[in-house]
Structure formats: structure tokens, C-alpha cells
Amino acid sequence: MKKIEAIIKPFKLDEVKDALHELGISGITVTEAKGFGRQKGHTELYRGAEYVVDFVPKVKLEVVLEAAQAERAVEAIRQAAHTGRIGDGKIFVYSVEEAVRIRTGETGQDAI
């Protein structure tokens, strides 16, 4: 099993979710996040005062799936989240040793 973690721009979430749904992947976890990479935040003006926004709003998407689906899922996320501008995000892929469905006690592939 693999876990894919993607940090993307919030307005791209629906497109990414639809792209994963087309692959038959429906179980995802989404968390609001803030951070920065090369963007290093930006300066905004509020009531005449300038201030620095260090952390840019992002969305963290997590999905655990069969290893055979991982490559297609990564490509679907990459294409759906792509704008070509700085701050498009990152995708990380991890190996998952075990999964357990709490309600039924199912383990492994059956749990996802």
C-alpha cells in the first residue's frame, strides 16, 4: 500500500478530487494548511498599513491506496493541480505497512 500526500492550492481541490474520483479513488482526507516554499509569502496592505503574510494558505490532501494505483494517482493529482505558477505544491509518496478499519477490524487492502 502507498500513501500519497499532496500540498496544493485551495482552489484546485475540486479538480484534484474529480481526477481521483475518475480513477475510482474516493477515500481522501483534506486538511487546511499554511506554509511557504520558494514563494516566501507576500506583502499585503490593510487599512493603510503594510504587513507580510509569511504563510500562504494551502490544502493538504492524503490518500492511501493499493501500490499499483499510486503512479496513476500521482499523475492525476499533478495534472489537476498544475497551474504553471510558483506555489503549485508538492506530492509525496510513502509506503504504508499496515491499515486497520476500526469499525470492523479489517486489515491491509480490505481496510482501505
Side-chain angles (χ1 to χ4, degrees), residues 80-97:
H82 178 79
T83 67
R85 305 187 78 191
I86 194 165
D88 272 355
K90 298 266 191 309
I91 301 172
F92 304 97
V93 180
Y94 307 92
S95 292
V96 175
E97 285 187 38

Side-chain angles (χ1 to χ4, degrees), residues 4-111:
I4 298 173
E5 189 174 286
I7 311 296
I8 62 172
K9 292 182 176 186
F11 68 89
K12 286 295 201 170
L13 178 58
D14 285 337
E15 290 177 51
V16 170
K17 184 182 70 151
D18 291 344
L20 290 173
H21 187 70
E22 286 180 22
L23 293 178
I25 300 166
S26 57
I28 63 173
T29 300
V30 177
T31 310
E32 289 183 14
K34 293 183 180 185
F36 68 90
R38 292 186 180 151
Q39 283 176 288
K40 296 186 178 80
H42 59 280
T43 303
E44 288 190 5
L45 198 61
Y46 179 72
R47 294 189 177 186
E50 205 173 82
Y51 68 99
V52 176
V53 178
D54 289 334
F55 295 103
V56 180
K58 299 288 182 181
V59 171
K60 180 166 86 170
L61 177 105
E62 297 170 276
V63 60
V64 177
L65 38 69
E66 296 178 28
Q69 293 179 299
E71 192 174 320
R72 288 185 5 208
V74 167
E75 186 57 25
I77 294 168
R78 191 192 68 74
Q79 287 181 4
H82 178 79
T83 67
R85 305 187 78 191
I86 194 165
D88 272 355
K90 298 266 191 309
I91 301 172
F92 304 97
V93 180
Y94 307 92
S95 292
V96 175
E97 285 187 38
E98 185 65 82
V100 178
R101 184 183 310 269
I102 294 172
R103 180 177 55 87
T104 63
E106 293 170 296
T107 60
Q109 299 287 347
D110 295 332

